[in-house]
Amino acid sequence: MESNLRQHIEKLVLLTDEEFAFVEKHFIFKKFKKHQFMVQQGEPVPYNYFLLSGLTKLVYTDETTEKQHILAFAMQDWWDNDFQAYYTRTRATLSMECLEDTEALCLSLDDFNALRTGLPKIERFFLEKVIAGFLASQRRILSLMTSSAQQRYEQLAAQHPSLLQRLPKTQLAAYLGVSRETLSRMSF
């Protein structure tokens, strides 16, 4: 599991063995079961999560209608969280639920800050990850505003084909912003 994290980090910054030993001591390994919440709306968010295996969804649940709005999915080698709650130490407005059994490396905000100040290379790594996440969020927002459901499906299939094989059709339909029936009628 530590080799996954090191490989992931070293796609952006190279680390010596001593530097990586410093990095890995700040993470906690945790296992989560399918349907278990890693983050739950209304609760504190103690960790940021680097997924080693499994599949999660990040959702907002409208309290009045109880409708779920899927913001994102995450799988191996992805980071995901209610980042606003994590960085501001407030209660979650989003939930992160496991769609499969999931293993993750967990990083508290205090450990995140210790890594950033103790190893400037890691600050650069996290900056690159934040920029990539911001760009992906912008693409998703623009796609929701300007693309048809068919086009959104094709974009998702082109960017993350393995994700489509793992997602239940109801989850995929919700992410694309269509009903399950509409998804079934679409020609792929």
Side-chain angles (χ1 to χ4, degrees):
M1 68 189 82
E2 289 83 12
S3 67
N4 290 5
L5 179 63
R6 185 167 189 169
Q7 289 171 6
H8 179 72
I9 293 170
E10 288 190 339
K11 289 176 186 174
L12 297 175
V13 295
L14 294 177
L15 299 174
T16 65
D17 290 342
E18 295 78 24
E19 289 170 333
F20 183 71
F22 175 73
V23 169
E24 81 177 325
K25 77 177 185 177
H26 290 85
F27 286 84
I28 300 168
F29 173 77
K30 289 191 175 208
K31 290 184 178 188
F32 302 89
K33 294 287 185 190
K34 183 177 181 177
H35 301 301
Q36 185 176 354
F37 286 92
M38 297 169 76
V39 172
Q40 196 151 13
Q41 194 168 332
E43 297 295 321
V45 180
Y47 300 110
N48 193 4
Y49 299 95
F50 174 66
L51 301 185
L52 298 170
S53 66
L55 179 65
T56 64
K57 70 175 178 177
L58 191 65
V59 300
Y60 171 76
T61 303
D62 185 318
E63 293 179 8
T64 55
T65 64
E66 295 194 17
K67 180 177 179 180
Q68 282 194 345
H69 303 276
I70 300 175
L71 279 72
F73 296 102
M75 57 186 169
Q76 181 178 343
D77 289 338
W78 291 15
W79 296 82
D80 211 4
N81 202 351
D82 180 333
F83 292 110
Q84 178 176 317
Y86 173 74
Y87 287 115
T88 61
R89 297 185 197 256
T90 57
R91 296 191 180 276
T93 55
L94 307 173
S95 295
M96 191 164 116
E97 181 182 357
C98 298
L99 298 176
E100 300 173 356
D101 288 349
T102 300
E103 294 181 341
L105 291 175
C106 309
L107 182 65
S108 73
L109 187 57
D110 290 337
D111 282 322
F112 169 76
N113 288 326
L115 280 174
R116 287 181 32 232
T117 57
L119 189 59
K121 287 180 182 181
I122 291 300
E123 187 161 39
R124 183 171 151 248
F125 166 78
F126 281 117
L127 176 61
E128 294 293 329
K129 298 309 287 183
V130 166
I131 290 169
F134 178 76
L135 296 175
S137 292
Q138 280 191 335
R139 283 191 302 271
R140 170 123 166 92
I141 292 166
L142 287 172
S143 177
L144 287 168
M145 292 170 42
T146 63
S147 302
S148 68
Q150 177 85 31
Q151 290 168 323
R152 291 192 300 273
Y153 177 89
E154 290 168 0
Q155 290 167 356
L156 184 62
Q159 292 171 353
H160 307 292
S162 66
L163 189 58
L164 295 181
Q165 306 305 314
R166 297 167 67 183
L167 285 175
K169 297 297 183 206
T170 53
Q171 302 292 321
L172 179 57
Y175 180 75
L176 295 174
V178 300
S179 69
R180 173 71 171 89
E181 295 76 21
T182 300
L183 181 65
S184 296
R185 286 193 299 269
M186 297 169 95
S187 59
F188 301 112

